[in-house]
């Protein structure tokens, strides 16, 4: 199964393009794709945006000098809903010590909801998806786009 419409696929592709671009720059990124819940509680902790998703928008938000870069972006219904959001931290004792706050937050929200989280490591540039409290690293852009298409369709 692929993303339901061309527009769905486009916003997924834009998000993954941003992740790959920021990965090369070793710039951290944290994007939460809401599924059954719009995660309004967490969206309210940040700045409400309601914008079309683009690689350039995410590049601006996660730029190291942006006041919103340390928080998460929440995507709901294919739109960037809020930025600079605070997420719950995973309390799983099995998380490796080398994973920082961004990854712990990605795992935390994926444990508390059915959201899918796209995360880029500032230290290694590794691009991963957090789903149901598990982190999966991707080295192939197209595979990640296809996986997100399946999960968000």
């Amino acid at each position: 199964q692929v993303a339901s419409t061309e527009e769905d696929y486009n916003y997924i592709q834009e998000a993954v393009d941003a992740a790959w671009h920021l990965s090369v720059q070793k710039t951290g990124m944290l994007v939460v794709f809401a599924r059954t819940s719009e995660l309004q509680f967490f969206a309210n902790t940040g700045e409400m945006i309601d914008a079309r998703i683009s690689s350039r928008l995410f590049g601006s938000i996660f730029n190291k000098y942006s006041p919103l870069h340390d928080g998460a972006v929440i995507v709901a219904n294919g739109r960037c809903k809020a930025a600079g959001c605070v997420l719950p931290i995973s309390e799983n004792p099995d998380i490796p010590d080398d994973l920082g706050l961004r990854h712990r937050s990605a795992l935390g929200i994926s444990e508390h909801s059915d959201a899918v989280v796209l995360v880029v490591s500032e230290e290694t540039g590794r691009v991963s998806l957090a789903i149901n409290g598990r982190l999966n690293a991707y080295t192939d852009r197209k595979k990640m786009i296809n996986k997100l298409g399946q999960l968000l369709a």
Side-chain angles (χ1 to χ4, degrees):
Q1 191 180 21
V2 290
S4 51
T5 67
E6 188 66 36
E7 198 172 300
D8 288 347
Y9 184 77
N10 189 47
Y11 87 76
I12 291 167
Q13 192 167 339
E14 288 285 331
V16 173
D17 285 352
W20 249 256
H21 181 73
L22 292 170
S23 165
V24 171
Q25 300 174 357
K26 295 254 174 68
T27 297
M29 176 175 168
L30 184 56
V31 177
V32 180
F33 293 94
R35 297 204 294 180
T36 55
S37 160
E38 288 192 20
L39 305 172
Q40 191 65 48
F41 175 82
F42 299 106
N44 288 342
T45 66
E47 295 292 325
M48 300 310 275
I49 292 180
D50 187 35
R52 189 175 60 78
I53 293 168
S54 72
S55 178
R56 288 173 60 189
L57 174 66
F58 285 165
S60 296
I61 290 170
F62 292 107
N63 172 305
K64 288 178 172 80
Y65 302 105
S66 164
L68 301 174
H69 85 277
D70 270 337
V73 161
I74 295 186
V75 170
N77 301 316
R79 293 188 57 83
C80 179
K81 181 173 184 157
C85 301
V86 177
L87 301 178
I89 308 300
S90 175
E91 295 181 25
N92 180 341
D94 300 329
I95 295 174
D97 291 338
D98 65 336
L99 290 184
L101 193 56
R102 186 172 283 114
H103 288 81
R104 290 173 192 279
S105 297
L107 289 167
I109 192 73
S110 79
E111 291 165 357
H112 289 280
S113 72
D114 67 348
V116 177
V117 189
L118 173 58
V119 60
V120 177
S121 168
E122 208 164 281
E123 280 73 39
T124 65
R126 188 170 56 233
V127 182
S128 306
L129 288 179
I131 307 157
N132 298 326
R134 300 188 82 97
L135 205 57
N136 305 294
Y138 283 79
T139 54
D140 184 308
R141 234 178 102 258
K142 287 205 184 330
K143 282 184 180 167
M144 179 177 259
I145 289 170
N146 289 335
K147 182 66 175 176
L148 272 170
Q150 291 167 5
L151 291 166
L152 302 175

